Amino acid sequence: MNRRDFLKNSITVIAGLAVPLSALELISPRKLLAQKGDESPVRWAFLVDTQACVGCGFCVKACKTENEIPHETNITRTWVERYVVTRKGKTYVDSPRGARDGFTTDRIDQGEEGYREVKAKDVEKAFFVPKLCNQCDNPACVQVCPVGATYQTPDGVVLVDRKHCIGCAYCIMACPYGVRSFNPAYKTAEKCTFCYHRISKGMKTACVDACPFGARKIGNLRDPDDPVTKTIMSGRVGVLKEQYGTKPQVYYLALSREVK
């Protein structure tokens, strides 16, 4: 069976697999750790402070360089979104080139609709939100991969084995966060790995090192003395799309309700 036949025959399966049975369960960091037991001394988690992010894009550039993502393409493993909420309740979101070059103008990039200008007096609030793979504890992408090329490490990071990936894109369709893309050079799925090649050697991720404002942090949830763990366990954090039941491990401080 070739790839075309495989996709045709299997496309009806993916929709069902992409929705986990635990979709209605809400996430709790303490409950999650208790459920996981002590099988690994490390469980990586990421903390984003939306109030500290200024949208400079240094993190995006660093990620591209570190992970050999073509600089001129729109492919990014991480990106930053700008949210502008007007006094009338309208929300505009843009992320030109993933914010690789930061946000150099007040005009909001609306894609094919062109640019939109919102007068300062009409702005209720504006803020930046970094996005990356959520390294879910219940990852839909792993569930749908037909060849096991997408897998989860014992310390919770979801990786892609390029040698086994057949480029079927099931994982890209299954991810509710849109963090996966297709690498045109390798013809495989592409995603953030928390810079696993770095953190497994005791280093920080490239984006964390590049952020001059401390908006991005990574920590070990199994270390109660880790500052990131302490913040997450305080309960003052939010996650994206928790209604999907994927149990994301990227936590946000000051997450506004407008964030999708």
Side-chain angles (χ1 to χ4, degrees):
M1 180 185 296
N2 58 34
R3 180 184 299 178
R4 183 184 298 276
D5 293 335
F6 178 82
L7 289 172
K8 182 179 179 180
N9 294 338
S10 304
I11 194 66
T12 55
V13 176
I14 189 169
L17 291 176
V19 180
L21 296 177
S22 55
L24 299 179
E25 183 179 354
L26 300 183
I27 194 168
S28 166
R30 293 184 182 278
K31 183 179 179 181
L32 178 62
L33 274 182
Q35 290 174 338
K36 291 294 288 183
D38 296 322
E39 63 271 22
S40 173
V42 178
R43 204 318 172 186
W44 296 109
F46 209 90
L47 181 65
V48 176
D49 186 347
T50 62
Q51 293 182 321
C53 181
V54 300
C56 65
F58 290 178
C59 53
V60 180
K61 288 181 180 176
C63 175
K64 278 179 171 277
T65 300
E66 178 68 26
N67 295 292
E68 300 179 328
I69 306 301
H71 188 74
E72 294 304 322
T73 68
N74 287 327
I75 298 174
T76 58
R77 288 188 174 190
T78 185
W79 68 95
V80 180
E81 295 176 350
R82 173 173 58 179
Y83 285 74
V84 177
V85 182
T86 71
R87 297 186 186 279
K88 292 184 177 180
K90 182 70 175 179
T91 300
Y92 298 100
V93 185
D94 71 345
S95 182
R97 288 188 172 273
R100 181 198 66 187
D101 302 318
F103 295 85
T104 58
T105 175
D106 290 338
R107 297 189 304 167
I108 304 168
D109 187 350
Q110 297 292 276
E112 295 180 353
E113 298 179 6
Y115 289 90
R116 177 175 291 275
E117 294 190 27
V118 179
K119 296 180 180 179
K121 66 180 182 64
D122 296 327
V123 176
E124 174 71 26
K125 58 182 176 180
F127 52 90
F128 301 98
V129 180
K131 297 281 187 71
L132 65 163
C133 176
N134 285 270
Q135 309 296 353
C136 301
D137 209 57
N138 186 25
C141 56
V142 172
Q143 297 176 40
V144 302
C145 180
V147 295
T150 288
Y151 63 99
Q152 190 175 36
T153 64
D155 47 9
V157 178
V158 176
L159 302 177
V160 178
D161 186 342
R162 285 176 173 167
K163 294 181 180 179
H164 290 88
C165 179
I166 60 174
C168 68
Y170 282 10
C171 58
I172 296 174
M173 292 184 284
C175 176
Y177 305 98
V179 300
R180 284 177 171 253
S181 58
F182 190 75
N183 189 310
Y186 292 99
K187 312 297 183 185
T188 60
E190 183 70 53
K191 67 177 283 295
C192 161
T193 63
F194 274 6
C195 283
Y196 198 66
H197 59 289
R198 291 170 61 99
I199 61 176
S200 57
K201 296 178 180 177
M203 303 167 66
K204 300 294 184 183
T205 68
C207 62
V208 169
D209 273 349
C211 180
F213 304 103
R216 292 172 176 252
K217 297 178 181 177
I218 190 168
N220 175 14
L221 280 181
R222 297 205 178 279
D223 181 0
D225 296 323
D226 189 315
V228 171
T229 301
K230 289 182 178 179
T231 300
I232 292 174
M233 293 304 167
S234 73
R236 297 182 294 107
V237 293
V239 296
L240 299 176
K241 301 180 179 180
E242 63 179 336
Q243 68 271 21
Y244 284 94
T246 58
K247 301 177 181 177
Q249 295 303 298
V250 174
Y251 296 86
Y252 288 84
L253 281 169
L255 186 62
S256 181
R257 67 179 183 277
E258 289 85 5
V259 178
K260 301 176 181 177

